[in-house]
Amino acid sequence: MKVRIFDTTLRDGEQTPGVSLTPNEKLEIALKLDELGVDVIEAGSAITSKGEREGIKLITRENLNAEICSFVRALPIDIDAALECDVDSVHLVIPTSDIHMKYKLKKTPQETLECAANAVEYAKDHGLIVELSAEDATRSDVNFLIELFNKGIELGADRVCVCDTVGVLTPEKSIELFKTLKEHIKVPISVHCHNDFGMATANTVCAIRGGAVQCHVTVNGVGERAGNASLEEVVMALQVLYGYETNIKTEKLYETSRVVSRLMKLPVPPNKAIVGDNAFAHEAGIHVDGLIKNTQTYEPIQPELVGNRRRIILGKHSGRAALKYKLNLMGIEVSEEQLNEIYEKVKHFGDLGKYISDIDLKAIVNEVTGKHAEEKIKLDELTVVSGNKITPIASVKLHFAGEDKHLIETSYGVGPVDAAINAVKKAISGVADIRLEEYRVEAMSGGTDALIEVVVKLRRGSEVVEVRKSHGDIIMASVMAVMEGINMLL
């Protein structure tokens, strides 16, 4: 059986507190979702704003393979807004629990039925695919759910959806509920789970086992409160553990995860299943020893299957064999004596509670072997203009070591430091995707000639480096720290 994937990253996912996407950012994510192979993209809620409609229109104009959907309430004005955006379908949502009907809608069950029926009929009359969705369905009377769904189906609803709006479903109840619904409903049934109790993935998978054929998910499990069912977790659990098929190109999961993370400015937790940086990371000596012999000893799937990669982490739990294996993977050759010295330094840093990144390991190796990493990019010039009623602006001139190649860029900022760092980032944007994850001023000495210490944390892919630099000028301290971090990552 093939399960359809209905992605609501751009609607329910964007409802994550603090997240607001521009129309172009919505389009970028939609293009990645289509490339990933999702069947339906819920591009937003057209009634929300002019900008939201602009974003949905950008997506519908692309003629993607995925069905493009807009969330709508059971109101003609919402459906008209969706029609304006030229979507293929509407996710028509109506509250069905007693608490929602009484306090939110202020309608009786009969009035709710009539409202849903009128909206379905209106949407179908205007040529839309309709997915009739029951909000708070898992706290609703099941007989009322069946009545409402069948009324919608009589008027042309193409699919129905059960929403576990506050995440109170359990796996056992999920199987039972969807089995019951399948007996009485003759159109495809969808499931939409929230993660309030951390069971959204389990409940979604169990809904499929019970009879649902489509699941609503978000990339990285983003969404309001504790989030939604995670696309990558649901897809891989269905395929690997239960043998269901989907249209998802799983090797693109990690890449899609990082695009959503970057645009929504929501970091992916390192221990996030499937797409977290630690999902295939190993430190303990006994684990690495097993991996060297056979990767299946401590990995349920190959990381390449989801576009992730195996990481050997060095720390106080690592053994000498793990270090040697790691150095071999990095193409670094050292003598036995040097290996022992590197191993002792790794253990020392591990005992101090430090995580030894690949960048750190290279620095340790260079120290032990007496080699020094060459600066790939050097700062030639830095000019910053700032003052009262002047928007801070900075220009930088960088050049590649040993090459007659220069990078010159200018950028604005909220202050002179921000402008300078923005100019550097802009200059190297065509060379490498390096992001500033953290910036802080950690220590200052007294007096007008105070020595300032700046700490920056930079990321390139899965590699993170932290650099400290001291200088009498905060702008120079900041730029020097950023430049050193860039060179370490390159």
Side-chain angles (χ1 to χ4, degrees), residues 120-384:
V120 170
E121 189 171 28
Y122 186 80
K124 291 305 297 181
D125 285 347
H126 287 82
L128 291 165
I129 297 168
V130 175
E131 180 156 334
L132 177 59
S133 199
E135 184 180 12
D136 206 21
T138 52
R139 294 193 296 182
S140 303
D141 177 76
V142 70
N143 293 319
F144 180 65
L145 275 183
I146 292 168
E147 183 181 1
L148 180 135
F149 284 154
N150 280 325
K151 184 66 177 177
I153 292 165
E154 285 175 22
L155 295 167
D158 302 275
R159 304 186 293 262
V160 297
C161 178
V162 173
C163 295
D164 185 27
T165 303
V166 291
V168 294
L169 200 58
T170 63
E172 297 83 2
K173 289 179 182 177
S174 184
I175 293 175
E176 183 182 336
L177 173 61
F178 283 86
K179 278 184 177 178
T180 300
L181 292 174
K182 190 179 180 183
E183 290 174 2
H184 297 87
I185 292 166
K186 304 309 176 189
V187 298
I189 306 173
S190 299
V191 58
H192 178 114
C193 290
H194 281 262
N195 203 37
D196 296 77
F197 286 88
M199 293 197 288
T201 294
N203 289 333
T204 300
V205 170
C206 286
I208 299 297
R209 292 181 64 205
V213 296
Q214 178 176 272
C215 48
H216 290 206
V217 291
T218 61
V219 176
N220 299 332
V222 295
E224 52 192 320
R225 303 188 315 280
N228 289 48
S230 162
L231 183 153
E232 56 279 0
E233 293 175 16
V234 169
V235 165
M236 295 313 296
L238 287 173
Q239 292 190 193
V240 175
L241 304 180
Y242 291 94
Y244 291 98
E245 294 181 5
T246 71
N247 286 322
I248 298 299
K249 299 175 182 67
T250 61
E251 70 278 3
K252 296 182 180 294
L253 284 170
Y254 182 87
E255 179 187 352
T256 306
S257 162
R258 288 313 182 268
V259 169
V260 171
S261 172
R262 171 172 56 84
L263 294 176
M264 288 192 167
K265 299 177 180 63
L266 294 173
V268 178
N271 63 333
K272 174 75 173 66
I274 309 300
V275 293
D277 283 340
N278 288 353
F280 299 93
H282 311 271
E283 180 185 343
I286 191 171
H287 284 208
V288 177
D289 181 63
L291 284 169
I292 293 170
K293 295 166 182 171
N294 187 323
T295 58
Q296 291 182 342
T297 53
Y298 290 102
E299 287 178 350
I301 58 173
Q302 292 285 311
E304 293 79 13
L305 181 62
V306 294
N308 208 331
R309 68 185 180 91
R310 182 176 301 114
R311 295 171 178 84
I312 305 301
I313 306 300
L314 298 176
K316 69 177 183 181
H317 301 109
S318 302
R320 191 175 270 97
L323 173 60
K324 192 170 184 178
Y325 179 56
K326 174 79 170 180
L327 292 174
N328 287 338
L329 288 176
M330 295 170 71
I332 297 173
E333 293 184 13
V334 294
S335 67
E336 193 66 26
E337 183 181 345
Q338 288 171 332
L339 177 68
N340 291 335
E341 190 176 345
I342 294 166
Y343 179 67
E344 290 305 319
K345 288 183 179 292
V346 167
K347 283 288 191 180
H348 171 69
F349 285 120
D351 284 336
L352 294 174
K354 294 185 181 295
Y355 151 72
I356 311 299
S357 69
D358 287 4
I359 302 295
D360 296 326
L361 181 59
K362 287 175 185 175
I364 292 171
V365 169
N366 288 337
E367 181 185 344
V368 170
T369 59
K371 296 177 181 177
H372 296 286
E374 179 191 6
E375 277 189 310
K376 303 278 187 185
I377 302 178
K378 295 184 178 181
L379 176 67
D380 269 359
E381 295 176 13
L382 168 65
T383 304
V384 180

Side-chain angles (χ1 to χ4, degrees), residues 45-169:
S45 176
I47 195 65
T48 300
S49 68
K50 182 181 177 182
E52 185 81 339
R53 288 188 289 280
E54 183 184 340
I56 297 172
K57 287 176 185 177
L58 284 176
I59 294 168
T60 56
R61 288 174 192 147
E62 289 293 320
N63 295 315
L64 302 179
N65 293 318
E67 174 188 314
I68 308 303
C69 178
S70 172
F71 175 96
V72 296
R73 297 166 298 176
L75 297 170
I77 190 173
D78 282 35
I79 298 167
D80 288 341
L83 286 165
E84 181 191 330
C85 298
D86 199 29
V87 296
D88 303 306
S89 63
V90 287
H91 177 209
L92 199 165
V93 180
I94 186 114
T96 55
S97 66
D98 288 341
I99 192 167
H100 273 240
M101 287 189 286
K102 181 178 179 180
Y103 294 102
K104 180 179 170 183
L105 283 187
K106 299 189 186 302
K107 294 183 184 294
T108 65
Q110 186 58 39
E111 289 171 329
T112 301
L113 275 173
E114 291 172 6
C115 186
N118 292 337
V120 170
E121 189 171 28
Y122 186 80
K124 291 305 297 181
D125 285 347
H126 287 82
L128 291 165
I129 297 168
V130 175
E131 180 156 334
L132 177 59
S133 199
E135 184 180 12
D136 206 21
T138 52
R139 294 193 296 182
S140 303
D141 177 76
V142 70
N143 293 319
F144 180 65
L145 275 183
I146 292 168
E147 183 181 1
L148 180 135
F149 284 154
N150 280 325
K151 184 66 177 177
I153 292 165
E154 285 175 22
L155 295 167
D158 302 275
R159 304 186 293 262
V160 297
C161 178
V162 173
C163 295
D164 185 27
T165 303
V166 291
V168 294
L169 200 58

